[in-house]
Amino acid sequence: MWPTSRYFRATLSIFLTLLCIYLIGLLRGFFSDIWAVVSAVVYPFLASLIVSYVLQPLVDLLARRRVPRGAAILLIYFTFVLLVVVAVLNAVPVITKQVTQLVANMPGMVVQVNHWIDMVNAHKQYLPDTVRIGVENALNQVERNLTQSVSGVFSFISGAVNIAFIVALVPFLVFYMLKDGRSIGRGAVRLVPKSRREQVQELMVSVDHTLGSYIRGQFLVMLALGVLAFAGYLIVGMPYALLLAIFLAVADIIPYLGPFIGAAPAVFLAMTVSPAMVIKVLIVNVIVQQCEGNLISPQIMGRTLKLHPMAIVAALLIGGELGGLLGLIVAIPLLAVLKVVWTNIQEERHKSQI
């Protein structure tokens, strides 16, 4: 009876899980409406959480030197503002100039890409029928979406007011997260029954360590990647080098897909320069990604998360389907947190059986 009962429970669990997923799918429109309201709060808190994890080691270092946490945070803010002012005075004119040039040259770039498409169209009769049909469909899709994509970029830029509001709100949230984060954690632990407080405290420490290590490591990887890309684009003479390097560094926050998304604008703009520039840009991106995959990430990130690649790919697929771009960004750290929780539960079960 035991094997039958065990298999029956496993089958029932799978069936109920699939039923829950199906019901959630039916309520997807309802959840989308709720998310439209909740996201207005989630985005500032998510950005503040990331910044607080990046600054946490500096605050702890000053606190160990007997600097009050509030004063330490204000000192870091003051230093950060000075660095931002220096960076703005030096980088913003360059970025503004490159953005202005990019906007002014965009119509000509579209014409150049259309010329490339016409060249491919002119020689497609030499391709096999199945390949030719696929190329025709792809080219038609590119031509239909090219103008829409360009206008979509400017529509995204027009949302700068919301971004400015979030940026203005983040420093206040970060201040209280860094100053009162531990007090909030202790208060949360006191809400748990006494018999479970030690277990919950250990779990919170493990989750905090995992998230902190991942976010700080990812930030350093993005910084190194941006510097390498900027240097590579300058060497090959690629226009808008700083702008493209910043985009590449930011896109790297998306695991696996980030390098391709980050390299796409550089390749697109290189197509408007010359075929030789396309090859040079591709070489630069290959070298940068090889450095990131074989040198930078192993040294900075190590095996912080210890997640199987298949689990990461599955998390990205689910996160992208459920949450779009935000889902892709939070999928990996969320998976790491779930693993920490699961490991903690298994360890507690093992202790209780001894």
Side-chain angles (χ1 to χ4, degrees), residues 26-349:
L26 294 179
L27 295 173
R28 187 171 182 176
F30 173 73
F31 289 130
S32 297
D33 295 336
I34 294 178
W35 175 248
V37 178
V38 174
S39 60
V41 179
V42 169
Y43 286 128
F45 274 91
L46 182 61
S48 302
L49 183 65
I50 293 173
V51 175
S52 65
Y53 271 122
V54 173
L55 298 180
Q56 184 71 47
L58 295 176
V59 176
D60 291 340
L61 177 63
L62 292 175
R64 286 195 297 269
R65 296 180 179 274
R66 299 182 180 180
V67 179
R69 292 189 71 85
I73 298 168
L74 292 177
L75 179 61
I76 292 172
Y77 273 18
F78 179 73
T79 306
F80 177 75
V81 169
L82 286 180
L83 293 175
V84 167
V85 169
V86 173
V88 165
L89 292 177
N90 289 274
V92 164
V94 178
I95 296 176
T96 303
K97 180 180 178 181
Q98 292 187 2
V99 170
T100 304
Q101 292 176 347
L102 180 60
V103 173
N105 296 332
M106 186 63 70
M109 294 175 181
V110 173
V111 171
Q112 182 67 30
V113 172
N114 282 328
H115 175 66
W116 278 61
I117 293 173
D118 292 338
M119 290 177 58
V120 175
N121 256 326
H123 296 87
K124 66 186 179 184
Q125 65 269 19
Y126 302 108
L127 299 174
D129 290 340
T130 53
V131 177
R132 179 175 53 79
I133 294 173
V135 169
E136 287 177 352
N137 293 334
L139 292 177
N140 291 332
Q141 188 68 29
V142 168
E143 289 180 317
R144 283 194 300 268
N145 293 339
L146 189 57
T147 305
Q148 296 177 359
S149 299
V150 173
S151 62
V153 172
F154 294 112
S155 298
F156 173 77
I157 295 175
S158 66
V161 175
N162 293 331
I163 297 176
F165 174 75
I166 293 176
V167 170
L169 185 62
V170 163
F172 296 98
L173 295 176
V174 171
F175 179 84
Y176 288 107
M177 284 183 179
L178 291 173
K179 183 177 180 294
D180 302 326
R182 294 182 178 179
S183 300
I184 295 173
R186 288 192 292 266
V189 170
R190 284 195 290 269
L191 297 176
V192 180
K194 290 185 178 180
S195 59
R196 293 289 183 180
R197 285 182 182 177
E198 184 178 355
Q199 177 186 354
V200 172
Q201 185 174 3
E202 291 178 357
L203 175 61
M204 293 177 65
V205 170
S206 299
V207 170
D208 180 71
H209 174 73
T210 299
L211 284 178
S213 299
Y214 175 79
I215 291 173
R216 288 188 288 270
Q218 186 64 43
F219 177 79
L220 292 176
V221 170
M222 291 165 58
L223 182 62
L225 202 65
V227 172
L228 287 177
F230 179 57
Y233 291 151
L234 284 180
I235 291 173
V236 301
M238 180 64 193
Y240 321 109
L242 181 59
L243 204 61
L244 294 173
I246 292 174
F247 183 83
L248 178 64
V250 173
D252 192 66
I253 196 173
I254 304 174
Y256 293 123
L257 301 177
F260 300 100
I261 297 174
V267 174
F268 172 77
L269 293 179
M271 292 172 61
T272 66
V273 178
S274 67
M277 184 58 72
V278 175
I279 297 175
K280 291 177 182 179
V281 167
L282 289 174
I283 292 175
V284 168
N285 278 277
V286 169
I287 293 174
V288 169
Q289 296 306 325
Q290 288 299 313
C291 291
E292 188 265 344
N294 297 308
L295 296 176
I296 300 174
S297 285
Q299 292 297 323
I300 295 178
M301 300 289 286
R303 296 183 60 83
T304 302
L305 301 182
K306 298 179 181 179
L307 297 173
H308 194 279
M310 290 296 294
I312 293 177
V313 172
L316 289 174
L317 292 174
I318 296 173
E321 179 66 23
L322 296 178
L325 179 60
L326 181 63
L328 289 174
I329 294 173
V330 303
I332 306 305
L334 182 59
L335 177 63
V337 169
L338 292 176
K339 181 185 177 183
V340 169
V341 173
W342 175 254
T343 302
N344 185 272
I345 293 174
Q346 293 297 103
E347 289 177 354
E348 289 299 322
R349 285 183 178 178

